[in-house]
């Protein structure tokens, strides 16, 4: 009888343990699901996904799930953020973002620097920018901000001078000195690489250069200096101003601004993009 009682007691204990463990597992699963926070991140195209994939993988361990929302132009991310359709975006330069924010009174703010894409001058005919001859034709992106940036790049290379006080957005009319009588052919930014066949040199955005299999550091005849003058072209992570101190969003910025992310940027873009926070600070 004693043996039967003992056996029954042991079986009862085992069953109790199984029940407790099972309930614990269910509670843990429910708690895990409840503690996972999904953040909708706006991106333009898929160029930056390799970097964000790496960051997203690390954030999952912290209970943060990044959900990509892909846009086809640079206007919609700010609009979507303003309207609350996304939680943050990481695809615009500081200059473009601040211009929209001011014009639309959008109440958005930057919470972190990500990358900067130096503008490059490329040529199939000449090895150095100083070798460009008298009357050389240069293809330049026709988007006003990039055109102005391109002119400032040529000024930094010593080829031209633009009107003092024209800031970061000079136009072709603001050129006050052009010793080599350089000619400019305005092109769509996306076609600047293809224009190389018909001009002496072309100014090409970093992402379009990589898409055309050009290595900015090796193939350009001049690369935009990464200095304080280029700070307006740093890409940022943006949120609604009311969420600037959100703890989850701060964790996302912290996960992005790491040495591991910088290594992925260098490996993926080969100079077309560079980590901005080591140069310009975290925000």
């Amino acid at each position: 009888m004693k043996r039967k009682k003992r056996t029954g007691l042991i079986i009862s204990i085992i069953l109790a343990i199984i029940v407790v463990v099972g309930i614990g597992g269910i509670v843990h699963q429910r708690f895990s699901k409840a503690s996972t926070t999904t953040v909708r991140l706006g991106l333009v195209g898929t160029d930056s996904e390799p970097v964000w994939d790496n960051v997203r993988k690390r954030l999952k361990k912290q209970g943060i799930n990044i959900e990509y929302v892909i846009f086809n132009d640079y206007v919609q991310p700010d609009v979507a953020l303003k309207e609350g359709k996304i939680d943050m975006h990481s695809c615009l330069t500081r200059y473009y973002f601040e211009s929209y924010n001011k014009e639309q009174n959008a109440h958005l703010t930057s919470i972190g620097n990500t990358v900067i894409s130096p503008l490059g001058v490329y040529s199939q005919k000449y090895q150095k920018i100083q070798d460009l001859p008298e009357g050389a034709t240069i293809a330049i992106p026709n988007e006003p901000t990039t055109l102005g940036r391109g002119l400032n790049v040529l000024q930094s290379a010593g080829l031209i001078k633009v009107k003092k006080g024209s800031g970061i957005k000079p136009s072709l009319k603001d050129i006050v000195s052009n010793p080599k009588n350089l000619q400019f052919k305005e092109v769509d930014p996306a076609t600047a690489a293809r224009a190389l066949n018909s001009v002496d040199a072309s100014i090409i955005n970093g992402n379009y250069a990589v898409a055309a299999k050009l290595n900015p550091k090796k193939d350009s005849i001049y690369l935009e200096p990464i200095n304080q003058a280029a700070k307006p072209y740093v890409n940022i992570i943006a949120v609604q101003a009311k969420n600037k101190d959100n703890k989850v969003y701060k964790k996302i910025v912290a996960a992005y601004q790491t040495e591991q992310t910088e290594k992925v940027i260098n490996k993926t873009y080969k100079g077309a993009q560079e980590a901005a926070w080591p140069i310009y600070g975290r925000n």
Side-chain angles (χ1 to χ4, degrees):
M1 287 291 291
K2 286 184 179 179
R3 283 186 180 178
K4 285 184 179 180
K5 284 183 180 180
R6 225 178 256 172
T7 303
L9 181 61
I10 291 169
I11 291 171
S12 297
I13 291 171
I14 291 171
L15 288 172
I17 290 170
I18 290 171
V19 169
V20 169
V21 170
I23 292 172
I26 292 169
V27 170
H28 175 72
Q29 285 179 355
R30 287 182 179 175
F31 179 77
S32 296
K33 285 182 180 178
S35 64
T36 297
T37 303
T38 296
V39 177
R40 298 162 299 172
L41 171 69
L43 302 173
V44 172
T46 58
D47 290 350
S48 59
E49 281 190 23
V51 174
W52 274 106
D53 283 347
N54 180 275
V55 177
R56 181 164 67 169
K57 186 177 179 181
R58 285 182 276 126
L59 284 168
K60 267 192 175 179
K61 296 175 184 177
Q62 298 183 48
I64 300 171
N65 176 49
I66 299 292
E67 180 183 296
Y68 298 149
V69 179
I70 307 299
F71 297 95
N72 296 319
D73 63 59
Y74 291 99
V75 176
Q76 292 308 307
D78 274 335
V79 175
L81 183 59
K82 179 184 176 184
E83 295 176 352
K85 293 178 181 177
I86 58 175
D87 301 303
M88 61 171 55
H89 68 57
S90 175
C91 48
L92 302 179
T93 64
R94 184 174 294 279
Y95 172 77
Y96 188 95
F97 168 76
E98 289 179 350
S99 297
Y100 173 87
N101 203 22
K102 185 177 180 180
E103 290 169 7
Q104 300 298 320
N105 193 26
H107 303 293
L108 309 177
T109 190
S110 165
I111 59 170
N113 293 325
T114 56
V115 298
I116 184 167
S117 300
L119 211 57
V121 184
Y122 299 81
S123 176
Q124 292 181 344
K125 300 177 182 179
Y126 304 100
Q127 298 297 313
K128 297 177 181 178
I129 197 163
Q130 293 82 4
D131 295 338
L132 290 174
E134 174 83 17
T137 298
I138 299 177
I140 189 166
N142 60 7
E143 189 275 316
T145 302
T146 312
L147 188 147
R149 185 181 179 185
L151 292 178
N152 280 327
V153 167
L154 294 177
Q155 178 170 250
S156 72
L159 290 184
I160 64 170
K161 286 184 181 179
V162 296
K163 187 189 299 180
K164 199 172 182 180
S166 57
I168 66 172
K169 205 174 175 181
S171 68
L172 293 173
K173 292 179 181 178
D174 291 320
I175 297 174
V176 294
S177 176
N178 185 3
K180 288 192 174 183
N181 192 31
L182 299 173
Q183 304 300 305
F184 296 96
K185 179 181 179 181
E186 294 185 56
V187 298
D188 184 278
T191 66
R194 291 201 294 273
L196 276 171
N197 296 322
S198 58
V199 295
D200 296 293
S202 183
I203 297 172
I204 307 173
N205 293 71
N207 59 324
Y208 293 126
V210 171
K213 304 203 181 302
L214 294 168
N215 184 313
K217 288 189 174 179
K218 292 181 180 179
D219 299 324
S220 65
I221 61 173
Y222 187 78
L223 202 58
E224 180 179 32
I226 302 301
N227 52 28
Q228 286 304 307
K231 188 175 181 179
Y233 309 117
V234 169
N235 284 64
I236 51 100
I237 295 172
V239 299
Q240 291 185 356
K242 65 181 181 182
N243 295 323
K244 65 184 178 66
D245 295 319
N246 182 293
K247 290 181 180 179
V248 171
Y249 298 170
K250 284 187 173 183
K251 286 181 180 179
I252 293 171
V253 173
Y256 191 101
Q257 293 176 340
T258 60
E259 188 177 339
Q260 191 170 347
T261 305
E262 187 174 1
K263 286 179 180 177
V264 177
I265 291 168
N266 293 338
K267 183 178 178 181
T268 304
Y269 302 109
K270 300 176 175 60
Q273 292 185 12
E274 293 190 29
W277 65 93
I279 306 166
Y280 299 101
R282 296 194 177 275
N283 190 23

